[in-house]
Every structure is written in C-alpha cells, then in structure tokens.
Amino acid sequence: MGKVRQIDHPLIQHKLTIIRDVRTGAKEFRELVEEIATLMAYEVTRDFPLEEVEVETPLCKAKARVIAGKKVAVVPILRAGLVMADGVLKLIPAAKMGHIGLYRDPETLNPVEYYCKLPNDIGEREMILVDPMLATGGSASAGIGFLKQRGAQNIKLMCLIAAPEGIARIQQDHPDVEIFVADIDEKLNSHGYIVPGLGDAGDRLFGTK
Ligand code: PRP
Ligand code: URA
C-alpha cells in the first residue's frame, strides 16, 4: 500500500487554517497556497539521494554534497494545481514542468480530460504531481495514469487537503505512489466536496465564483 505522509509543520498548519477561512480573498488565498506548496516541497524532496563532490571554498578544497541522480518534473493538474507548481518551482527552479488538464464532471464526479503536455523524458525524472484537493481521488488517479502511460516510474502526489476516500482510491489504483498531504479531513459531502475542506479550490484561487 502506498505511504501517506501528513506534513504537520506549524507554519503549514497555520497557513492552511487561513485558506480554509471563507473570508480569505483570492489574492491572499493564492499567495498562501504557493507558500504552503514551497514548504511541502521541502519535505517531499527529503529522501532525494546525495552524492559527494569536491568544492573549492575561499580557504581550501573540501568534500561537499549535491543532489544525485534523477532530475525533477513538476506536473500540476489544471487548473487548481498551477499555483502549487509555482510554489514547488521556488525550491526546485530547474525542474521541468508538465500540465494535465482535467475537470470533474459535476454530475458523475468523473474526471474529464482536456489537455496533457509532458516533458518527453519523464521516465528519467522524479515526478511531483500537484493538486490542492484529493476528494474522490478520480482526478489524481487519472493524472497518475497519464504519467505512467507516458513512461513515468517515480511519482509523488502532493495535495493540500485529502478526504479518506481519495487516499483509499490512490492506494488502490496506484500503490507505488507516495502521497503527501497537509491535512486529512473527515469526509466527502453528497456533491463530492471535502468536509470541512476549503470549498472549490479553483474558484477560490482564481476568483471565478
Ligand atoms: C478540483 C481539484 C481536483 C479535483 C478533485 O478540480 O483541483 O482536481 O477537483 O476532485 P476528485 O478527487 O473528486 O477528482 P476541478 O474539477 O474543480 O477543476 P478546476 O481545478 O479546473 O476548478
Ligand atoms: N474539488 C475542490 O476544489 N474542492 C473539493 O472539496 C472537492 C473537489
């Protein structure tokens, strides 16, 4: 079963509470989502392997460490994942970026694909798929499926808030994928919204409602 890591750093929890608040407007909401994603990226990259190199300081030559192995690609699920991707890129500016366009059909709650453009070497990259909300898990499961179809082998999923149903879905469909979340909420309501959640992440980020 895929591992779930809840990142309960005080800064992340504090900022998450502000974005849950219905009174928080789009500008502050966007800024905080980006900041939380940057902080989460610190943990998501924690197990990246290091290798030893030689560096010449102003005083002498020294052994030091740099990140080894695979390079990174960040893939937001459009559109709400876009702002999280910006937050991850603050920490890993050389990462390549892909985009997966999915929206959830409001009746069936099934994901509908409308766009997919990925770097062509994703098989050699550490993939970080980002989307603020893991509700039924349908969108993230489909997104991971697209990455795998195109050759991705190492995928981490990073979400702000997950419902237990969404976590169970990813663990069932993609047991190899590690899930990073800032919080796990109680349940989904009859419209597939996470409760207590933060509402519709895309609408709150972009002020579309
Ligand atoms: C939201 C969210 C996820 C999806 C989660 O996107 O950003 O992609 O719903 O729900 P699920 O786990 O039940 O699939 P939405 O479909 O509202 O699209 P948007 O980002 O374009 O607003
Ligand atoms: N998508 C959202 O934006 N919010 C939810 O609570 C569920 C799906």
Side-chain angles (χ1 to χ4, degrees):
M1 193 186 285
K3 264 200 273 176
V4 183
R5 301 250 312 262
Q6 190 196 345
I7 306 174
D8 58 2
H9 191 287
L11 283 172
I12 293 177
Q13 295 306 316
H14 183 89
K15 290 170 194 287
L16 188 63
T17 300
I18 301 173
I19 63 172
R20 284 184 188 275
D21 191 327
V22 67
R23 295 167 300 181
T24 301
K27 175 179 178 289
E28 195 182 1
F29 191 95
R30 251 191 326 268
E31 289 167 355
L32 288 165
V33 167
E34 188 175 328
E35 286 171 21
I36 296 170
T38 305
L39 292 167
M40 288 184 76
Y42 190 75
E43 281 301 320
V44 172
T45 53
R46 180 174 282 283
D47 64 355
F48 279 13
L50 292 168
E51 66 187 1
E52 204 169 77
V53 294
E54 194 176 76
V55 63
E56 192 164 350
T57 77
L59 302 183
C60 63
K61 287 189 175 160
K63 299 255 186 272
R65 293 179 298 166
V66 294
I67 289 174
K70 293 186 174 158
K71 302 224 180 314
V72 176
V74 184
V75 180
I77 296 182
L78 306 180
R79 65 195 157 136
L82 274 172
V83 177
M84 286 182 76
D86 287 342
V88 177
L89 289 175
K90 284 239 161 79
L91 219 59
I92 319 171
K96 285 196 179 172
M97 205 166 145
H99 294 84
I100 294 177
L102 288 173
Y103 70 86
R104 205 169 67 148
D105 182 289
E107 299 301 323
T108 65
L109 301 184
N110 289 325
V112 182
E113 179 196 353
Y114 60 90
Y115 190 75
C116 185
K117 182 85 180 168
L118 300 168
N120 54 17
D121 59 351
I122 62 173
E124 283 121 53
R125 289 182 178 268
E126 294 277 355
M127 306 300 293
I128 305 177
L129 183 67
V130 294
D131 192 337
M133 309 305 277
L134 183 63
T136 65
S139 303
S141 179
I144 294 166
F146 292 149
L147 297 180
K148 287 184 174 174
Q149 277 163 24
R150 289 161 179 83
Q153 294 181 26
N154 294 293
I155 305 171
K156 297 178 195 291
L157 172 66
M158 182 173 138
C159 305
L160 300 188
I161 300 179
E165 294 88 336
I167 290 175
R169 173 80 186 266
I170 301 301
Q171 287 181 323
Q172 185 184 317
D173 294 356
H174 302 288
D176 54 310
V177 172
E178 198 172 355
I179 307 169
F180 294 81
V181 293
D183 215 351
I184 301 171
D185 278 9
E186 196 189 325
K187 60 179 181 186
L188 295 178
N189 71 12
S190 57
H191 302 289
Y193 277 86
I194 299 176
V195 180
L198 49 70
D200 189 306
D203 285 339
R204 293 199 64 192
L205 281 166
F206 301 113
T208 40
K209 218 174 245 173

